[in-house]
Amino acid sequence: MIPTPHIGATSKDQIADTVLMPGDPKRAKFIADTFLENVEQFNDVRGMLGFTGTYKGKRVSVMGSGMGIPSAMIYYHELFVFYDVKTIIRVGTAGGLQPNLKVRDIIVATAANTPASVVRGKFGEIQFSPTATFDLVLKAHEYAKNNNLNAYFGTVLSSDEFYRKWENGVIENLIKYQTLGIEMEAAGLYMSALENGKQALCICTVSDNSEGEDSAEVRERAYTEMMEMALEIA
């Protein structure tokens, strides 16, 4: 089924094997304009911009996913299943939980905990936390080490409510058990990749913590260390 209801590309060849996916379509355009050569736009359905170009001679695509698991999983599924994409790397933002995390540090999510229905009920009484593709985690770790990045590897919470006020000591327990940050898409990406036998990784820049936050413009354009990490892994 090409094009799909949400992606306008008329051929599988218009989309590369690896797709970088920020939530914000404007960030997708910024990545394409800043880092890619020979860029062609393959999608603007519902304003969710998608581009394919080359980075250091290799074809790579970048496309927005929207905010939250329900929106993002539509695109993850269509890219994996209908366009035969092999790898999706989320390049997003997260709120930092651990006290040592500073704004603009990088989080690489090795696994994602979530209360969302994407996991709930699928495994009976087991609380399943989907994981990243291990080879991609290793590549990210090697890149971060070689480039002296402030990158932290561990679990995140994929929340299904941006403004949720957690009660009953939930946040305190997440911090105690070394959860690095809160974002909104990683669990959906990892579940979709596991379901379809594909590869996935979530890389986030800390955009806010208890001490402050970056502006929308900064979130769109300033997180180039994360973008370059994802492109090098791709």
Side-chain angles (χ1 to χ4, degrees), residues 3 27 59 64 76 97-98 104 111 149 156 164 201 212 229:
R27 192 183 304 144
R59 290 183 81 240
Y76 300 152
L97 286 180
Q98 296 299 321
R104 303 198 190 182
L149 299 184
V156 297
R164 180 167 181 173
L201 184 66
M229 171 190 270

Side-chain angles (χ1 to χ4, degrees), residues 24 26-27 30 92-93 103-104 205-208 213-227:
D24 185 353
K26 289 185 178 180
R27 192 183 304 144
F30 175 78
T93 57
V103 171
R104 303 198 190 182
T205 299
V206 177
S207 59
D208 59 275
E213 62 181 299
D214 278 335
S215 67
E217 183 178 1
V218 169
R219 295 181 192 213
E220 177 187 327
R221 296 175 175 272
Y223 300 156
T224 54
E225 284 187 343
M226 168 185 66
M227 299 171 190

